[in-house]
């Protein structure tokens, strides 16, 4: 089977978790960041996968593929109909084109893949046939690197985030400030806003996959913090941070949202208390081992891709 994956940024984490990074291990796969994919580029493929289509060109591409008898799959890793008002992308997501084209794409496609049950439920409310929705969780790419994390009994705490995450980080501002004073805070991403308030041991630029996954274990951090406001949008988000943290020997500290109710995740409304808890070696090792075993048995890409293979046969 030949698969063409269309993703708005070919090298980003979304394409790694949901597009080329997954299909390339199960089929002859090509990647493009073009929205308008005309018939001449579709002539030699068997399946078109579009990541988060939301404009008229992408709708046309899906219709071109359908007219040629090519299987079409659309994938969404976010609840695009309930974007956070605090997000810089909010105005775009409530535009007429975004909503209309997202719904059209979902209805045109042969199959819809999502990462969480909450996203599936949201799409059914938009009139999408539930029979064609497949919940395929994000997974650790064990083709790239074997999953064999080792524990880190250090006093280093990791946090990452771009400007989209600033409202979430602010929700735990005082806890993170105290953590940065008592422990070594290691950060990655757009953290300049917090330089006057948090004491950073180290701060790194964002890395794209696969470099991000290569770098994480070298940070030698005990825990990763994932602050998130309790919103409809955030309740639908997947738990990539849990997989990433565990793969690098970290325990994840997160708010008590549905997708983070997983083995080994430390759920708390007060991140300072969560960090203090995992600073106890027994508590850390118990949580880390629970996460490691669950992901090893259930969320390796070599296993999760079986869901994609089964979908494509239908």
């Amino acid at each position: 089977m030949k698969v063409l994956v269309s993703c708005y940024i070919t090298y980003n984490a979304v394409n790694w978790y949901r597009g080329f990074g997954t299909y390339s291990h199960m089929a002859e796969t090509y990647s493009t960041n073009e929205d308008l994919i005309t018939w001449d580029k579709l002539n030699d493929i068997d399946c078109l996968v579009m990541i988060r289509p939301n404009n008229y060109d992408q709708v046309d591409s899906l219709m071109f593929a359908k007219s040629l008898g090519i299987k079409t799959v659309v994938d969404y890793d976010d609840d695009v109909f309930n974007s956070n008002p605090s997000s810089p992308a909010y105005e775009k997501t409530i535009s007429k084109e975004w909503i209309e084209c997202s719904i059209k794409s979902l209805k045109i496609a042969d199959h819809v893949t999502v990462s969480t049950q909450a996203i599936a439920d949201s799409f059914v409310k938009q009139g999408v046939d539930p029979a064609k929705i497949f919940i395929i969780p994000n997974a650790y790419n064990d083709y790239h690197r074997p999953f064999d994390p080792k524990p880190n009994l250090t006093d280093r705490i990791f946090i990452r985030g771009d400007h989209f995450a600033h409202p979430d980080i602010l929700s735990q501002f005082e806890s993170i400030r105290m953590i940065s004073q008592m422990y070594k805070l290691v950060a990655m991403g757009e953290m300049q806003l917090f330089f006057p308030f948090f004491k950073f041991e180290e701060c790194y630029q964002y890395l794209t996959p696969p470099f991000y996954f290569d770098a994480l274990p070298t940070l030698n951090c005990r825990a990763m913090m994932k602050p998130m406001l309790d919103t409809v949008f955030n309740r639908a988000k997947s738990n990539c941070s849990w997989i990433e943290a565990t793969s690098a020997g970290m325990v994840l500290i997160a708010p008590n949202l549905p997708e983070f109710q997983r083995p080994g995740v430390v759920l708390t409304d007060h991140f300072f208390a969560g960090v203090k808890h995992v600073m106890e070696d027994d508590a850390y090792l118990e949580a880390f081992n629970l996460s490691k075993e669950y992901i090893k048995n259930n969320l390796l890409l070599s296993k999760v891709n079986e869901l994609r293979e089964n979908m494509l046969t239908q």
Side-chain angles (χ1 to χ4, degrees):
M1 173 176 279
K2 292 184 179 180
V3 176
L4 176 63
V5 176
S6 171
C7 185
Y8 49 99
I9 303 176
T10 57
Y11 56 84
N12 69 358
V14 176
N15 204 21
W16 175 271
Y17 275 113
R18 309 300 302 175
F20 186 83
T22 59
Y23 284 92
S24 60
H25 299 290
M26 50 182 275
E28 185 178 342
T29 307
Y30 306 91
S31 185
T32 180
N33 62 357
E34 294 181 7
D35 289 344
L36 184 60
I37 306 170
T38 50
W39 64 267
D40 54 310
K41 297 171 185 174
L42 293 166
N43 194 43
D44 193 36
I45 69 165
D46 304 298
C47 178
L48 173 64
V49 178
M50 299 207 79
I51 307 299
R52 205 183 296 174
N54 54 58
N55 63 50
Y56 296 116
D57 283 345
Q58 291 168 314
V59 170
D60 286 346
S61 297
L62 289 167
M63 294 178 68
F64 278 132
K66 293 279 282 190
S67 70
L68 293 170
I70 295 168
K71 187 182 292 288
T72 53
V73 179
V74 297
D75 181 273
Y76 291 83
D77 191 29
D78 285 318
D79 181 356
V80 293
F81 301 109
N82 287 291
S83 180
N84 288 332
S86 59
S87 167
Y90 178 71
E91 292 300 322
K92 180 180 178 182
T93 63
I94 61 173
S95 70
K96 178 183 177 183
E97 179 178 5
W98 179 289
I99 295 172
E100 182 179 293
C101 292
S102 295
I103 293 173
K104 281 186 176 181
S105 297
L106 287 163
K107 293 184 176 181
I108 290 169
D110 296 307
H111 302 307
V112 176
T113 55
V114 298
S115 55
T116 70
Q117 182 66 54
I119 301 175
D121 293 342
S122 174
F123 289 177
V124 170
K125 290 178 182 177
Q126 298 293 335
V128 180
D129 180 2
K132 71 177 188 178
I133 299 177
F134 293 79
I135 301 172
I136 301 179
N138 287 321
Y140 177 83
N141 191 333
D142 53 319
Y143 296 100
H144 169 64
R145 176 191 285 268
F147 183 76
D148 187 27
K150 302 295 189 290
N152 295 319
L153 297 175
T154 69
D155 62 348
R156 293 162 63 87
I157 308 299
F158 181 66
I159 188 169
R160 65 168 175 81
D162 56 15
H163 60 289
F164 290 95
H166 286 176
D168 298 307
I169 294 172
L170 287 169
S171 72
Q172 290 287 336
F173 180 87
E174 188 57 27
S175 270
I176 298 172
R177 187 187 66 80
M178 292 169 62
I179 290 164
S180 74
Q181 292 175 343
M182 289 191 63
Y183 308 106
K184 294 174 181 175
L185 184 62
V186 179
M188 183 178 291
E190 299 171 15
M191 294 290 171
Q192 295 89 336
L193 175 68
F194 303 104
F195 283 175
F197 310 104
F198 301 160
K199 180 184 176 183
F200 291 100
E201 180 75 10
E202 297 161 18
C203 194
Y204 298 92
Q205 283 186 306
Y206 243 133
L207 296 172
T208 58
F211 309 111
Y212 170 68
F213 297 97
D214 293 335
L216 271 187
T218 70
L219 300 179
N220 295 316
C221 292
R222 180 183 286 244
M224 177 190 290
M225 298 184 293
K226 182 61 176 177
M228 295 179 74
L229 290 163
D230 189 353
T231 65
V232 174
F233 180 80
N234 283 350
R235 281 178 165 262
K237 287 189 74 66
S238 61
N239 45 42
C240 294
S241 297
W242 171 48
I243 296 171
E244 294 165 9
T246 307
S247 74
M250 303 182 226
V251 168
L252 184 69
I253 299 169
N256 192 6
L257 299 181
E259 286 301 313
F260 291 100
Q261 295 167 1
R262 297 291 186 267
V265 179
V266 176
L267 301 173
T268 178
D269 293 329
H270 304 285
F271 277 28
F272 181 73
V275 168
K276 280 192 71 176
H277 174 71
V278 300
M279 280 298 163
E280 299 176 13
D281 289 353
D282 289 346
Y284 161 82
L285 289 169
E286 179 183 7
F288 171 69
N289 287 325
L290 283 170
S291 292
K292 177 180 177 179
E293 286 305 306
Y294 186 90
I295 293 169
K296 178 181 174 182
N297 293 329
N298 298 278
L299 292 177
L300 299 185
L301 185 59
S302 56
K303 181 177 182 66
V304 171
N305 258 357
E306 294 175 7
L307 300 175
R308 289 186 174 89
E309 291 170 351
N310 292 336
M311 173 195 68
L312 292 177
T313 63
Q314 297 184 31

